Amino acid sequence: MDIRHYTIALDVNPVTQSINGYTEIDLTLSIGSPVLLLDFWHGLTVGGVTVNGKKESFEHTETDLLKITGNKPFPSGKIKIKVMYGGKPGIAERPPWTGGFQWSKDSNGNPFIAVTCQSEGGKIFFPCKDHPSDEPNEGADMIITVPKGLTVAGPGLLMKETNSKTTSTFHWKTNYTISNYCLVFNIGDYAIVRDTYVTVLGKKVPMEFYVTQEHKDKGPHHLEVLKRTALVLEKYFGEYPWAKEKIGIAETPHLGMEHQTMNAYGNQFRYTKVGGEDFDWLLTHEFGHEWWANKVTNADWAHMWIQEGICSYGDALYVRELEGEEAYQKVMRQRARTAQNVKPIVQGEVVDSDDTYHGDIYGKGALFMHTLRYVIGDSIFFPTLKKLATDKRYTYDNTITTDDVEKLFSTASGSNLKPLFDFYLRTTNKLEISVKQTDEKKYKIQLTNFKGMELPIEILVNGEVTKFMLDDKETTFESETYPQIDPIGFYLKRVVFE
Ligand SMILES: [Zn+2]
C-alpha cells in the first residue's frame, strides 16, 4: 500500500470537545487484497466507509485498526477510501510529549485548541497508514470548520476561507510530502503577523505568524529572530525546504512541535542572547526540523536520532555561526555531560516510537555529529551534511536509515566509518583510552574498547596540542608535563590513567 494523498475534513466543536467529518485516503495497491487495513484510534466512531464510491463493510478494533472488507478482493492500482466518523478525540495529557487534543482558553477566555501526536501518530484523529516510511506523495488537504470568530492555522497554503452565519471553514493544502504527525491544526482567536523571507537561492517566501491577540505586538520581532535562524540553517543545510508554500508559526498552549510549514510555538517569547542577538532555543530547534524530520525523514522510528540528533546539532551550529568555534565547543561539552548511555541510540531496524524516544537521541546524537566532524574534517563533513539535506535520494519522497547516513559519510571520506557509527549509535559504550606512564617522561596510550579504524585524538603534551592517530595497539609519546587527552572534547570518552 502506497499512500498518495489525504483529505481531512472536520467540524471542530470546542463546546462539546468533539469532531465530526470524514477523511479521504488516496492510495495505490501494488497487489490485489481482500482487506484494506488502516490505523485509527478506537475511541472515535466510524459511521461508514466507501471504497471508490461504493459502500463497504468494516471492523474497527480495540487495537486501533480499521479493517475494510470488500465483497470481492480489491484490485491492484488506485483506490480512494472515504471514512465518515466523529466523536471526542483523546485529550493530550502532557502535550507535546503525550499527544492528543488540547482544549485550552487564551487570556481573553476564547478557545485556544492544539493538536499534537508526534509519538501517537495521526491515527489519533484521522484514519491513515501510520508509519514514517509512507508519506502522502501528493500532499494533503485539511478542511477544518470552527465557530465563527476563530481561525484555523494549518499546513501549506490557505486556499479558501468560507463563512456561514455561525461557522468559518479554512481549507489548507500542501503539495509536499508530509508526516502524519504534522497533519494537524491549531485553532484560536489569532492575529496574523506577516513578513517575507528571501531564501539563499533568492526565492521570496511568505512568513506567517498566527499569534494570540495578547502577543500580537511581539510578532514582528519574533519573525526577525526566526529570519536569523533561517539564514544560518540555510547556510549549513541548503535552501528552506518548503519555499513554494510558507514559513509558518502558530502560537500554541503547549511548548512546541515541528509541524511542517506551521511550527507550533509556545515558549512565551523567552529570549536569551546568542552573539548579542535575541535567541529563542525552541523556535530555532523546531525550525531546524523543517530540514531534519520534515524534509529528511527516518524510514522507521528506530532511526529517529537522524531527526532529533542532527536537528540538535544544528542548534549548536547556530551558536558557532554567531559566536564562533569556542562557543560551539562549549555547547558540545555540555551535551557530553548530559549523555545518559542507558539505551543505545539505534536499537535495531524496526523499533516503536516510545522505545526509540529517549534523551540520548538528542544530546548524544548531536555529539556524535560533532565527533564525526572531527574525525573526517570540515572540508568533507560540511559538504556531506549539506548533501544529506539536499540530495533527492535522502529527502522528500525518500526516507532514510542510519546505514544510509553512514554510507554517505564513508563514501565521502573514503574510509569505512561503520565502526565509529556502530560504537556511538548502537552501543552505550564510551570510548575508553588507557594511558600508562612507563618512565618519567614516557607514556603509552591505546584505545581499549574500540576496533576497526584509527581515530585522531589530540593530546596536550609539553603545553602544546598534538594530534595522534590511535587504535587498539600501544602508541608511545614523551611529555615533560602531565598529558591531557582530548582537551577540547571531541569524544564521549573515559580516560584511564595507570
Ligand atoms: Zn526536536
Side-chain angles (χ1 to χ4, degrees):
M1 179 190 281
D2 178 28
I3 300 288
R4 306 304 301 178
H5 186 271
Y6 290 109
T7 298
I8 302 162
L10 294 169
D11 289 353
V12 179
N13 187 332
V15 178
T16 58
Q17 301 192 344
S18 62
I19 56 174
N20 189 46
Y22 66 88
T23 291
E24 272 176 0
I25 304 124
D26 291 287
L27 58 91
T28 55
L29 287 184
S30 58
I31 53 167
S33 169
V35 178
L36 297 171
L37 201 57
L38 295 168
D39 298 296
F40 191 37
W41 182 56
H42 69 275
L44 291 166
T45 306
V46 178
V49 175
T50 65
V51 178
N52 295 334
K54 200 170 142 279
K55 238 179 148 178
E56 298 289 4
S57 51
F58 64 89
E59 185 194 349
H60 194 189
T61 72
E62 286 285 316
T63 52
D64 301 333
L65 291 174
L66 184 62
K67 294 180 184 174
I68 304 163
T69 316
N71 290 326
K72 47 183 194 253
F74 300 104
S76 62
K78 282 187 185 179
I79 281 186
K80 185 191 276 288
I81 305 173
K82 184 172 182 177
V83 182
M84 276 67 70
Y85 61 96
K88 285 174 184 277
I91 288 177
E93 281 170 19
R94 204 169 69 93
W97 299 280
T98 51
F101 275 57
Q102 191 180 3
W103 306 92
S104 295
K105 294 250 157 79
D106 67 16
S107 60
N108 298 316
N110 295 305
F112 190 25
I113 301 160
V115 185
T116 46
C117 53
Q118 187 190 29
S119 59
E120 297 78 8
K123 67 173 170 292
I124 63 159
F125 80 103
F126 69 95
C128 54
K129 177 179 168 185
D130 220 1
H131 195 270
S133 63
D134 197 0
E135 297 184 348
N137 309 64
E138 287 141 37
D141 287 65
M142 295 198 97
I143 304 162
I144 307 298
T145 301
V146 291
K148 210 167 185 176
L150 295 176
T151 297
V152 181
L157 299 168
L158 182 61
M159 306 305 289
K160 210 161 77 173
E161 181 188 337
T162 45
N163 292 291
S164 76
K165 261 188 189 157
T166 55
T167 62
S168 302
T169 300
F170 294 79
H171 180 177
W172 288 95
K173 181 183 188 64
T174 180
N175 291 306
Y176 288 112
T177 53
I178 186 166
S179 298
N180 289 344
Y181 74 92
C182 289
L183 273 176
V184 294
F185 48 83
N186 295 287
I187 299 168
D189 174 25
Y190 284 126
I192 306 165
V193 176
R194 296 174 201 277
D195 203 335
T196 304
Y197 178 74
V198 181
T199 72
V200 69
L201 299 180
K203 278 191 212 126
K204 284 186 181 165
V205 185
M207 298 180 92
E208 294 174 4
F209 184 15
Y210 284 70
V211 59
T212 58
Q213 301 294 339
E214 181 188 5
H215 295 138
K216 186 180 164 185
D217 294 345
K218 296 180 191 290
H221 178 65
H222 207 55
L223 290 180
E224 288 299 326
V225 174
L226 183 57
K227 273 186 196 173
R228 198 161 39 241
T229 291
L231 280 171
V232 173
L233 297 185
E234 281 195 318
K235 179 181 165 182
Y236 287 100
F237 307 144
E239 190 184 40
Y240 174 68
W242 323 106
K244 289 179 196 158
E245 294 185 350
K246 70 177 186 299
I247 291 174
I249 335 170
E251 191 179 345
T252 51
H254 61 80
L255 182 62
M257 184 54 72
E258 63 255 28
H259 299 147
Q260 186 171 309
T261 69
M262 192 56 96
N263 275 319
Y265 174 80
N267 198 32
Q268 301 295 321
F269 307 89
R270 282 186 293 239
Y271 302 120
T272 53
K273 295 282 180 197
V274 172
E277 305 280 1
D278 277 347
F279 170 73
D280 187 316
W281 72 269
L282 191 274
L283 185 72
T284 292
H285 178 79
E286 302 307 346
F287 195 66
H289 279 305
E290 294 288 26
W291 286 263
W292 306 105
N294 298 346
K295 186 183 185 191
V296 182
T297 307
N298 46 230
D300 187 275
W301 291 283
H303 309 286
M304 204 171 172
W305 77 274
I306 297 169
Q307 303 188 167
E308 292 299 352
I310 305 183
C311 185
S312 299
Y313 186 65
D315 301 345
L317 291 178
Y318 181 89
V319 174
R320 177 177 188 256
E321 205 54 32
L322 272 85
E323 292 190 345
E325 193 65 29
E326 276 183 31
Y328 151 90
Q329 287 165 351
K330 201 174 149 196
V331 171
M332 282 298 138
R333 282 194 292 272
Q334 282 163 355
R335 289 284 158 83
R337 281 194 287 274
T338 59
Q340 296 159 357
N341 281 309
V342 175
K343 272 188 195 180
I345 288 177
V346 183
Q347 300 168 67
E349 292 306 302
V350 179
V351 179
D352 80 30
S353 62
D354 283 347
D355 284 336
T356 291
Y357 195 84
H358 61 87
D360 278 354
I361 66 170
Y362 291 81
K364 193 183 162 191
L367 197 63
F368 173 68
M369 296 309 286
H370 176 60
T371 303
L372 182 62
R373 175 189 167 202
Y374 178 70
V375 170
I376 66 178
D378 286 3
S379 63
I380 296 165
F381 177 78
F382 284 117
T384 309
L385 184 61
K386 191 182 268 185
K387 187 173 184 169
L388 183 60
T390 50
D391 192 306
K392 212 171 161 289
R393 284 176 295 169
Y394 311 112
T395 56
Y396 297 117
D397 273 355
N398 295 309
T399 56
I400 62 165
T401 65
T402 302
D403 283 347
D404 293 323
V405 181
E406 180 263 301
K407 287 196 178 87
L408 174 67
F409 278 96
S410 287
T411 305
S413 67
S415 55
N416 177 18
L417 298 168
K418 195 166 170 21
L420 187 72
F421 274 74
D422 284 351
F423 187 86
Y424 278 109
L425 299 176
R426 296 182 194 269
T427 82
T428 55
N429 297 333
K430 286 181 179 181
L431 188 68
E432 205 169 272
I433 306 167
S434 121
V435 186
K436 281 183 205 151
Q437 190 165 11
T438 53
D439 207 341
E440 199 187 336
K441 297 175 198 168
K442 282 187 181 158
Y443 296 88
K444 280 183 179 174
I445 185 167
Q446 73 185 108
L447 308 178
T448 53
N449 64 351
F450 182 82
K451 277 187 173 55
M453 62 185 286
E454 286 186 320
L455 293 177
I457 291 182
E458 289 176 357
I459 307 176
L460 191 69
V461 286
N462 303 325
E464 246 177 74
V465 171
T466 313
K467 194 186 272 189
F468 289 82
M469 294 306 291
L470 300 183
D471 57 17
D472 58 342
K473 290 167 209 72
E474 283 179 341
T475 300
T476 54
F477 67 91
E478 287 190 19
S479 181
E480 302 274 349
T481 56
Y482 203 59
Q484 218 184 316
I485 314 301
D486 182 33
I488 291 173
F490 292 111
Y491 292 94
L492 190 62
K493 65 184 180 294
R494 205 164 83 86
V495 181
V496 183
F497 279 100
E498 284 176 40

